Amino acid sequence: MSAFSPRVAVIVVAAGSGTRLGAGLPKAFVSVGGLTLLEHAVHAVNGMSSHARLVAVVPAERADEVRELLRPLASEAVVVAGGASRQASVAAGLAVLDEAIEVVLVHDAARAFTPSEQFDAVVEAVDAGGEGVVPGLPVSDTIKRTDAAARVVDTVDRSELVAVQTPQGFPRGILEAAYAAAKEEATDDAALVAAIGHPVRIVAGAALAFKITTPADLARAEQLFGGSALTQRVGLGTDTHAFADGGELRLACLAWPGVPALAGHSDGDAVAHAIVDALLSAAGLGDIGSVFGTDDPRFAGAHGDVFLRAVRERLAETGWRVANVSVQLVGNQPRFSPRRTEAEAVLSGILGAPVSVSATTTDGLGFTGRGEGVTAIATALVASRRPIS
Ligand code: CTP
Ligand code: MG
């Protein structure tokens, strides 16, 4: 848990069995383009303009697996076991909200590709009106009422109809009161809120917020967000530091006893810093100075892994993951080869992706050849399964 508690929670219900999809596993664990529907839904929550508490409601037997799955993506997510119905699952999510939460959004993991902007719009409308808010789309089919024998009784005026989606947002107290009073099963949260006499307003929904219910829906999702929708970007970063007079070197997130430290505001870990710049540049997120502030006292003396972990988190929040990193150290010392695989293991562990490290000298030429300092050069590849503008 961070010191900062968000005031908005998003309960993502993902505990259903997916009977109509018939994939042989719970629907939220079906993959599209290499990521589960649950992960896609979490990326959408991460893309919200302000940080929200994520509560994932999942099948009880998968709770531990989901905690692992979400660790790199949403490390502060609360994972709870769902119930026998959607309503019971939402209630399980409501039960674990912390005190700071004022606004609750309830979202179906099955609407995995809902744009983050739709979450933002719902929060904004709840804040503006203090009442329930549900995204919806006009109905385009002509709707008939039928009898038990499948005979048409009449045509319903579709101009009065709206097909509603999620996330559905409410002031916390209203949603809790609605759930406390609920007597019958409803298929959405707005119905329960309306049942206790509170108004619910519609805001514009989005076509991409469609619910994956049947195999045809999954095929559509695969077409839109499958392999071909993978976005990949490369980035480059370099960093140079001079050796200081004393101290102990930190490089590639390892300590190097007997080698003098590199000078710098942080620990001077040129390898880590070059990787940070390569990752930020690949994702279009700026550079180490603009993101962390080279003068920021919080990073004075900070080790390289602090920056690397923060960048990984930042990438996850914006829908990116690290595909791989390659970094080369240029300098006379330390002698890198004996610890190359150790450095690769440590860096790969921090970033959750393969990092290859190499080292070279410059044949006695230049500042590196004279042993005055080192340079590191990194390239990084980042990937996203969501369309990135
Ligand atoms: N849901 C849930 N707990 C349940 C039932 C449903 O958390 N006991 C969630 C689903 O995981 C889904 C959302 O509610 O994200 C909407 O439900 P639906 O699309 O009906 O999903 P399933 O119930 O899984 O599918 P089906 O009805 O075809 O079995
Ligand atoms: Mg269902």
Side-chain angles (χ1 to χ4, degrees):
M1 293 269 164
S2 67
F4 170 70
S5 291
R7 56 179 289 276
V8 176
V10 182
I11 299 175
V12 175
V13 282
S17 55
T19 322
R20 286 167 289 178
L21 187 60
L25 75 169
K27 189 157 71 181
F29 298 87
V30 170
S31 291
V32 170
L35 289 186
T36 63
L37 295 186
L38 177 59
E39 287 170 286
H40 284 291
V42 170
H43 276 303
V45 174
N46 283 344
M48 290 172 69
S49 62
S50 59
H51 180 55
R53 167 75 65 237
L54 176 73
V55 179
V57 187
V58 303
E61 67 281 6
R62 289 192 179 246
D64 287 339
E65 174 193 335
V66 171
R67 282 185 194 105
E68 277 308 305
L69 187 72
L70 297 188
R71 201 183 306 282
L73 212 61
S75 56
E76 295 179 5
V78 181
V79 178
V80 288
S85 63
R86 182 186 185 279
Q87 200 160 309
S89 293
V90 175
L94 274 175
V96 299
L97 296 182
D98 57 60
E99 270 173 31
I101 301 301
E102 295 166 10
V103 172
V104 182
L105 269 54
V106 182
H107 183 58
D108 292 338
R111 297 184 188 274
F113 300 100
T114 303
S116 302
E117 292 74 23
Q118 183 152 317
F119 292 75
D120 291 335
V122 169
V123 172
E124 201 174 301
V126 172
D127 281 339
E131 54 192 34
V133 173
V134 174
L137 289 176
V139 174
S140 53
D141 291 319
T142 296
I143 308 287
K144 304 285 188 192
R145 198 185 318 277
T146 59
D147 65 14
R151 277 200 197 84
V152 171
V153 176
D154 61 5
T155 301
V156 182
D157 178 5
R158 74 177 175 209
S159 70
E160 291 183 349
L161 300 181
V162 172
V164 299
Q165 306 177 328
T166 67
Q168 303 195 345
F170 309 89
R172 177 186 184 160
I174 292 177
L175 188 62
E176 284 178 337
Y179 268 78
K183 292 199 181 60
E184 283 172 16
E185 287 288 323
T187 55
D188 78 345
D189 314 287
L192 296 179
V193 166
I196 61 163
H198 279 283
V200 177
R201 211 156 55 80
I202 302 289
V203 295
L208 285 181
F210 69 97
K211 183 152 78 83
I212 295 170
T213 306
T214 64
D217 298 326
L218 187 64
R220 181 178 166 207
E222 192 63 57
Q223 261 176 351
L224 287 168
F225 300 101
S228 60
L230 179 74
T231 304
Q232 298 185 103
R233 288 191 182 158
V234 294
L236 174 74
T238 73
D239 193 35
T240 297
H241 284 286
F243 284 111
D245 289 336
E248 182 180 271
L249 178 70
R250 296 276 316 182
L251 197 63
C253 297
L254 300 177
W256 299 81
V259 185
L262 290 163
H265 172 66
S266 62
D267 69 357
D269 187 336
V271 167
H273 299 172
I275 295 174
V276 166
D277 260 353
L279 288 169
L280 289 173
S281 120
L285 293 171
D287 59 22
I288 192 165
S290 62
V291 171
F292 297 108
T294 41
D295 301 331
D296 191 328
R298 280 176 304 165
F299 300 114
H303 287 322
D305 65 299
V306 172
F307 297 98
L308 289 170
R309 282 181 219 285
V311 168
R312 181 178 176 185
E313 205 168 290
R314 189 97 172 192
L315 292 176
E317 281 166 9
T318 46
W320 295 102
R321 66 185 172 77
V322 184
N324 81 303
V325 170
S326 171
V327 60
Q328 184 169 50
L329 174 75
V330 186
N332 291 354
Q333 58 167 347
R335 238 173 56 71
F336 215 87
S337 54
R339 299 186 73 188
R340 200 177 57 78
T341 48
E342 187 187 351
E344 288 183 341
V346 168
L347 293 168
S348 302
I350 294 170
L351 291 177
V355 178
S356 18
V357 188
S358 60
T360 187
T361 59
T362 49
D363 222 6
L365 298 173
F367 68 89
T368 50
R370 291 188 297 272
E372 293 165 11
V374 300
T375 286
I377 304 164
T379 55
L381 184 70
V382 296
S384 174
R385 293 286 179 184
R386 296 181 66 79
I388 304 287
S389 52

